[in-house]
Amino acid sequence: MSNQEEITVNGIKNIIRKLNPSEKKIALPLMEKLNINLITPNDDLTGKKVRGFHLEEKKYEAESYIDVLRKVLKIVYLKHPQERDKILSISSCRKNKYFSLNPNELRMPELIRGTSIYFETNENAKSICIRCEKILKLYGMDYTSFEIEYYN
């Protein structure tokens, strides 16, 4: 098999982004059944200045990666106000947490507006992007449509 024939997770993700909503409803559960995790680090983000992001066919402006996370949290909480605590189930792969009711459990905590939940702000671009996608997936939103736009 040549390199041109190899299928990558990012390649699959880009194909799924182009599907219509009814096709995505079929494709995403199939990806999960096949244990294909579409949430992967984006190496293109490192060292790039954020311009904004796209989510579910809308464009949002953002000044930094942490600003992207703030806005994703706001969007999710506006759509799912009764499920705010659900976010506490997202854990990090290391001993430090991403979300907590106790700010002392985080290195650089920031309160999520309108809640008693804090989130970690001391993360790199790749980690923040992955965290945004995990949040969107957790709340049943189209995480494959999430894409950060940056200046070239």
Side-chain angles (χ1 to χ4, degrees):
M1 182 183 276
S2 72
N3 285 341
Q4 292 176 348
E5 295 173 349
E6 289 181 21
I7 297 174
T8 65
V9 172
N10 284 331
I12 293 170
K13 190 175 187 176
N14 288 333
I15 292 168
I16 289 177
R17 277 190 176 126
K18 295 173 186 168
L19 299 177
N20 67 46
S22 61
E23 292 170 326
K24 281 185 182 184
K25 283 185 179 180
I26 296 167
L28 291 175
L30 179 59
M31 294 296 107
E32 287 201 23
K33 190 168 188 138
L34 295 171
N35 290 323
I36 298 172
N37 183 5
L38 297 176
I39 299 175
T40 58
N42 183 345
D43 293 327
D44 294 341
L45 301 176
T46 304
K48 304 269 176 87
K49 184 166 172 33
V50 173
R51 179 180 243 162
F53 65 97
H54 299 269
L55 177 62
E56 296 182 336
E57 299 182 22
K58 291 183 183 175
K59 183 179 177 184
Y60 300 88
E61 291 184 17
E63 297 174 6
S64 65
Y65 291 101
I66 204 65
D67 193 34
V68 170
L69 177 56
R70 278 186 202 104
K71 290 184 179 189
V72 165
L73 289 167
K74 181 178 180 180
I75 292 164
V76 166
Y77 281 174
L78 285 172
K79 288 189 175 196
H80 303 278
Q82 306 304 330
E83 300 178 88
R84 290 184 172 173
D85 289 351
K86 193 176 187 180
I87 204 157
L88 294 168
S89 69
I90 294 179
S91 61
S92 65
C93 58
R94 48 180 218 279
K95 60 184 172 189
N96 296 329
K97 293 183 173 190
Y98 288 143
F99 301 97
S100 179
L101 294 169
N102 180 354
N104 295 326
E105 293 181 339
L106 306 174
R107 279 186 269 158
M108 293 180 63
E110 183 175 313
L111 187 63
I112 300 172
R113 183 179 283 172
T115 74
S116 58
I117 301 170
Y118 293 84
F119 68 100
E120 180 59 65
T121 61
N122 185 26
E123 295 292 333
N124 63 37
K126 287 195 285 188
S127 296
I128 289 172
C129 185
I130 288 172
R131 193 168 4 151
C132 287
E133 290 180 8
K134 285 181 178 180
I135 293 165
L136 294 166
K137 183 178 180 183
L138 178 69
Y139 284 90
M141 296 176 69
D142 183 5
Y143 66 95
T144 62
S145 71
F146 175 75
E147 190 170 16
I148 292 180
E149 185 179 331
Y150 48 85
Y151 293 100
N152 289 327

